[in-house]
Structures are given as structure tokens and as C-alpha cells.
Amino acid sequence: MNEFKRAKEDYDNIPIPQELDARVRAGIQEGRALCRARRGRMVRRWGAAAACFVLMLAGLNLSPTIAKAAADVPLLGGLFQVLTFVDYEKTEDGIHYDVSVPQVEAESGLAERVNAAIQEKVDAHLAKAQQDWDDYREAFFATGGTEEEWADREMDVIVDYEVKSQSGSRVSFVVTFAEGWVASMEERYYYNLDLAENRDLALRDYLGEDWVETCNASIQKQIDASVDEEGFTLFFTPEEGGFTTVDENTGFYIREDGTVVVCFPEYSIAAGAAGMPEFPIN
């Protein structure tokens, strides 16, 4: 028997775990719930839009709509705008895309750099989602899945953003990338910009030279306050890989009231039930 036939027999004889279908369906429901939450926020944002025009963007290979007239941040003395540059929703080959991409419009090298970085992340996210879906489909059929069962499968791919604050020449916004299917994945990137000074803003710019000590004390106080009467908390201890200190790479955004909010990725300092921990620095 040649290698191909042996490999095929190995595939055919792989046992299908009884819990596979339940896990898949639970993942799909979780992803759809995440997608509905994102869509709701996008609908609220677009309710204030005055107008838009439509073009085709070949670079994404998905024929998305470009809407450049719906500004989330008003023009500030001619200095900048944050626009919904790409916005579309479509389903293709079992993947439901819900994509809303921002663009900073300003006469500055900073805006060009930020826009290019965001577009690079969007392209990478869409490519990874397609590869994840292809890998899952291959494994599904290799373990005995049928075409009829596969027809019920769907993957949600989300790109969304939220402007957290704008003041003078400064803007703070967050771009979210998510997948929802068998497992859910979400990543957030934080942009805090000063368009007049043409630079990224850091925690030091808001909290002063003692920003590390200020953040650490506030975050640790909030983590300590999360411990319940039985001594349980979702946060890991430092020995378990939990919080120890902020650094130059720690994500943050600025609320409209000027409060600095420090953010951490899911699972980085706490269990998954804690989501993506955020700490207002007071």
C-alpha cells in the first residue's frame, strides 16, 4: 500500500470526539454574540453620519465600501479628522465580515504612519482569519465531518474602532480585531496622538515623570480590591505571571473626562473571565 493510501486510512480512522459538535456550536454562538455587540456600536456611530460616498478598494481583495464622509471626530481648526475610511459587511464562503476601519486625515507624517500601520494590521488580520478558516475546514473533513454539517458553520471576522476622546490637537482611539467561531480571539491597539506636535503620546505626557509608580500603585490597589471574601480573584499573582509593572509598551487610552485608562490583553494578567482588564488611573 502506498503512502497516500495509508495516510487516507489514517484520516478515515481518526475518532471524532463526541463533544466536537457541541464545542463548535458553542463557539459559533459566542462569536455571533460578539459580532452583534460590535454591530450595535457601529449602528449607533453611523446614526450621526451626514453623508458618504462609495468606491471600491482593491487592496483588501474583498471589494469593501469606502465611506469617507462620516467623521467621528469633527474637524478641529483644520488640523485633523478621524474618518471611517473602510466600512462593509458581507458573507463569503462561510465567513461573515464586519469591517470598519479608521483613517486619520491630517497634513502630517504621523497620520500617514498611523494609517499605514492600521492598514497593515487589517490586511494581516483578514489573511489570518482566512487561513484559520481553511485550516479548520481541512481538519473538520479530515475527522469525518460531512458537507451537510459544514453548511451550519460560520466564522465572524470583525474590525472596528472607537474614538475615546479628542481635545485640541490630541485624539485617542482604539482599533479592535476579532474572530468568533470555535474559539474567540480579540486584540486591541491603542492610538494616542498629538497632531500639532506630530508625535505619539505616552503615559508620561499625562501622568508626569513618576508615571510608572503612579500607574503601578493605582492598578495594584484595584487588583487588591477585586479579591472577594473567600480570597478569590480572577487576577494572577506575580508568581503566576500576573501584574508587576507597566512599561513603555503598555496600552492605554484617554477618556473624554481626561482620565487615563491602562489596558491589558486578555489572559495576560488575569483569567479569561476577566476579559481585557482596564484600570482608570486616579
Side-chain angles (χ1 to χ4, degrees):
M1 183 180 296
N2 59 35
E3 292 296 325
F4 177 79
K5 289 182 179 179
R6 279 198 296 269
K8 185 177 185 304
E9 283 192 0
D10 288 341
Y11 269 138
D12 291 339
N13 292 327
I14 294 175
I16 303 173
Q18 294 182 354
E19 69 275 14
L20 174 62
D21 192 64
R23 289 182 179 177
V24 168
R25 293 182 183 277
I28 290 171
Q29 293 302 317
E30 183 180 357
R32 286 176 176 168
L34 175 62
C35 187
R36 283 195 295 270
R38 296 290 176 200
R39 290 175 197 162
R41 220 171 55 219
M42 184 165 61
V43 168
R44 290 194 296 272
R45 185 172 68 226
W46 274 91
C52 66
F53 66 87
V54 178
L55 294 173
M56 302 307 289
L57 182 66
L60 289 178
N61 298 318
L62 288 168
S63 299
T65 301
I66 302 177
K68 297 195 63 175
D72 279 300
V73 178
L75 191 64
L76 302 178
L79 186 61
F80 75 90
Q81 286 180 303
V82 177
L83 304 174
T84 302
F85 180 62
V86 173
D87 186 81
Y88 67 92
E89 185 176 347
K90 65 177 291 186
T91 299
E92 184 176 87
D93 192 27
I95 304 178
H96 182 85
Y97 297 92
D98 198 341
V99 177
S100 184
V101 181
Q103 175 175 279
V104 181
E105 193 166 273
E107 295 296 329
S108 74
L110 176 62
E112 293 180 3
R113 176 174 60 78
V114 168
N115 292 337
I118 292 173
Q119 187 60 61
E120 182 178 356
K121 289 182 174 65
V122 171
D123 292 341
H125 180 60
L126 297 179
K128 179 181 181 301
Q130 182 65 62
Q131 187 61 58
D132 288 344
W133 189 238
D134 291 343
D135 290 345
Y136 171 49
R137 174 164 43 197
E138 181 179 352
F140 179 84
F141 287 117
T143 54
T146 67
E147 290 287 351
E148 183 179 4
E149 292 169 331
W150 178 254
D152 293 332
R153 304 301 189 261
E154 184 177 273
M155 177 186 196
D156 291 306
V157 176
I158 300 162
V159 180
D160 197 11
Y161 76 98
E162 182 179 1
V163 177
K164 295 293 187 178
S165 66
Q166 58 86 9
S167 177
S169 64
R170 294 183 172 186
V171 63
S172 177
F173 64 96
V174 181
V175 184
T176 299
F177 300 87
E179 287 183 14
W181 49 304
V182 176
S184 293
M185 176 280 294
E186 183 172 346
E187 294 180 335
R188 294 175 185 167
Y189 294 89
Y190 303 88
Y191 297 90
N192 302 282
L193 315 175
D194 189 318
L195 276 300
E197 297 183 8
N198 200 39
R199 68 185 180 94
D200 295 289
L201 294 165
L203 287 167
R204 178 182 289 104
D205 295 305
Y206 293 96
L207 301 174
E209 291 304 314
D210 295 328
W211 63 276
V212 173
E213 292 78 9
T214 299
C215 286
N216 288 351
S218 181
I219 292 170
Q220 191 59 57
K221 181 179 179 180
Q222 294 176 67
I223 291 176
D224 293 342
S226 74
V227 181
D228 66 16
E229 296 178 352
E230 297 179 355
F232 175 77
T233 178
L234 291 172
F235 291 92
F236 306 139
T237 66
E239 293 74 23
E240 296 170 331
F243 174 74
T244 54
T245 184
V246 296
D247 58 31
E248 297 285 353
N249 297 315
T250 302
F252 73 97
Y253 64 83
I254 309 300
R255 295 197 312 215
E256 285 289 356
D257 63 3
T259 300
V260 175
V261 181
V262 172
C263 311
F264 294 89
E266 191 173 18
Y267 303 109
S268 61
I269 63 170
M276 296 184 169
E278 297 188 352
F279 300 91
I281 305 302
N282 300 311

